[in-house]
């Protein structure tokens, strides 16, 4: 069991479920364009213990703050507990008879670092509440859409379906290749240790807020571009069709956004090909190209994350890119397993030189998605 499960206070619980945070290996801002993504689950997870209560009322207690929030069936609340209230709301909307419950939460997923702490909370709360409702058999494949709707319509963040899919469906040792239009999935083996490689995650500690207008603005521009190009979504433009598509767009900013999305979809496909062929080293240049595209065309990076990427590459990383919504958050670097410490030291040095607050760094291997714990 993870640290969070051991720290879960209170109990006994009727059920305990855990859902992980995620990093996205490649495929950024493609999900809401009906495109492709390739996330994997972190060993960091959020654990929810739940006990049935009489009456339609829910209480949520955080191990971290000791705070307890109470809400009724039709109440709109804000703050961290809103992610749980959003799940109660969406399950009731979908016709599930969600019993009143006392939920206790412990988490190892850093909040606000771009590692999908909110999706981890949503997915674990959903699993616990469905189980209490006698609906533990609701297929995992149907859950991300519900959790995304909770985030879009209750919390009010216009996100795509990647984070909730990753937190629900990822498998240990694999990356999740997801077609965000058909929702078809493939578990792509991603065992780097076999090839003497590792993924180093650096949390830039730059403030990260994708609920901000910037995320919504990017999404709007993509939707407008799809309309002008007369396609259902930018996924329908491929690299061969890109020059003609760009020629039809007058606005330079829109052209850049479209170029990012179309080339990023192709990079996901190329990454999956390389992994299927067992050549993880080949994904390095794709990661670095993805970062350049996010920096120059999608314009969602900040100096801290660019500094991590530059320092990691200079110290010998095979590839490096920001992961997640952007404007801060974390950077993934593909490194030789025996170079992790050297790359981390180089990044720390570059941060000190630039006067940035010290980053966090850790090595990750792909972990399991949502699962029931016995406790
Ligand atoms: C955030 C959103 C996701 C996705 C990424 C960018 O994490 O929640 O839906 O759009 O940004 O790839």
């Amino acid at each position: 069991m993870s640290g969070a499960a051991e720290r879960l206070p209170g109990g006994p619980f009727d059920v305990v479920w855990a859902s992980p945070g995620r990093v996205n290996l490649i495929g950024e801002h493609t999900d809401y364009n009906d495109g492709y993504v390739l996330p994997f689950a972190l060993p960091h997870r959020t654990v929810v213990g739940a006990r049935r209560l009489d009456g339609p009322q829910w209480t949520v207690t955080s191990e971290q703050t000791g705070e307890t929030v109470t809400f009724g069936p039709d109440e709109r609340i804000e703050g961290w507990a809103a992610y749980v209230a959003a799940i109660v709301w969406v399950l009731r909307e979908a016709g599930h008879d969600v019993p009143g419950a006392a939920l206790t939460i412990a988490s190892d997923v850093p909040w606000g670092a771009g590692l999908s702490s909110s999706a981890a909370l949503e997915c674990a709360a959903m699993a616990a509440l469905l189980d209490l409702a006698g609906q533990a058999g609701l297929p995992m494949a149907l859950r991300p859409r519900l959790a995304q709707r909770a985030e879009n319509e209750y919390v009010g963040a216009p996100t795509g379906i990647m984070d909730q899919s990753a937190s629900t469906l990822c498998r240990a040792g694999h990356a999740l290749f997801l077609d965000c239009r058909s929702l078809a999935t493939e578990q792509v083996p991603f065992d780097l240790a076999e090839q003497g490689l590792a993924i180093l995650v650096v949390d830039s500690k730059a403030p990260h807020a994708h609920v901000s207008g910037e995320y919504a603005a990017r999404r709007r521009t993509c939707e407008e571009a799809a309309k002008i190009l007369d396609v259902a979504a930018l996924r329908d433009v491929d690299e061969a069709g890109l020059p003609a598509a760009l020629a039809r767009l007058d606005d330079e900013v829109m052209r850049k956004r479209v170029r990012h999305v179309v080339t990023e979809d192709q990079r996901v496909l190329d990454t999956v090909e390389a992994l299927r062929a067992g050549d993880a080293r080949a994904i390095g240049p794709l990661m670095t190209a993805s970062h350049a595209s996010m920096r120059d065309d999608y314009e969602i990076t900040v100096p801290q994350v660019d500094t991590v990427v530059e320092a990691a590459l200079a110290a010998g990383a095979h590839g490096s890119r920001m992961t997640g919504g952007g404007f801060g958050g974390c950077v993934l670097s593909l490194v030789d397993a025996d170079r992790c410490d050297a790359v981390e030291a180089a990044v720390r040095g570059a941060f000190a030189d630039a006067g940035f607050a010290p980053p966090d760094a850790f090595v990750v291997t792909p972990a399991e998605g949502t699962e029931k714990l016995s406790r």
Side-chain angles (χ1 to χ4, degrees), residues 162-239:
M162 171 170 70
D163 302 344
Q164 294 81 5
S165 301
S167 189
T168 303
L169 303 172
C170 280
R171 295 271 84 92
H174 294 78
L176 177 75
F177 176 35
L178 172 68
D179 177 333
C180 297
R181 171 171 282 166
S182 67
L183 299 188
T185 58
E186 177 185 334
Q187 301 287 347
V188 183
F190 190 51
D191 183 351
L192 293 175
E194 254 175 14
Q195 299 178 50
L197 295 166
I199 291 278
L200 177 71
V201 177
V202 175
D203 179 355
S204 73
K205 296 289 187 76
H208 154 96
H210 67 60
V211 189
S212 75
E214 294 287 355
Y215 185 98
R218 298 297 183 288
R219 185 169 182 159
R220 242 186 345 262
T221 302
C222 290
E223 287 165 358
E224 280 166 20
K227 247 188 225 128
I228 296 171
L229 296 171
D230 204 19
V231 289
L234 290 182
R235 138 73 174 276
D236 296 310
V237 181
D238 61 13
E239 271 202 325

Side-chain angles (χ1 to χ4, degrees), residues 22 27-29 31-32 159-163 210 215 324-325:
R22 63 96 189 92
E28 226 61 81
H29 289 264
D31 61 353
Y32 55 79
T159 57
I161 200 167
M162 171 170 70
D163 302 344
H210 67 60
Y215 185 98

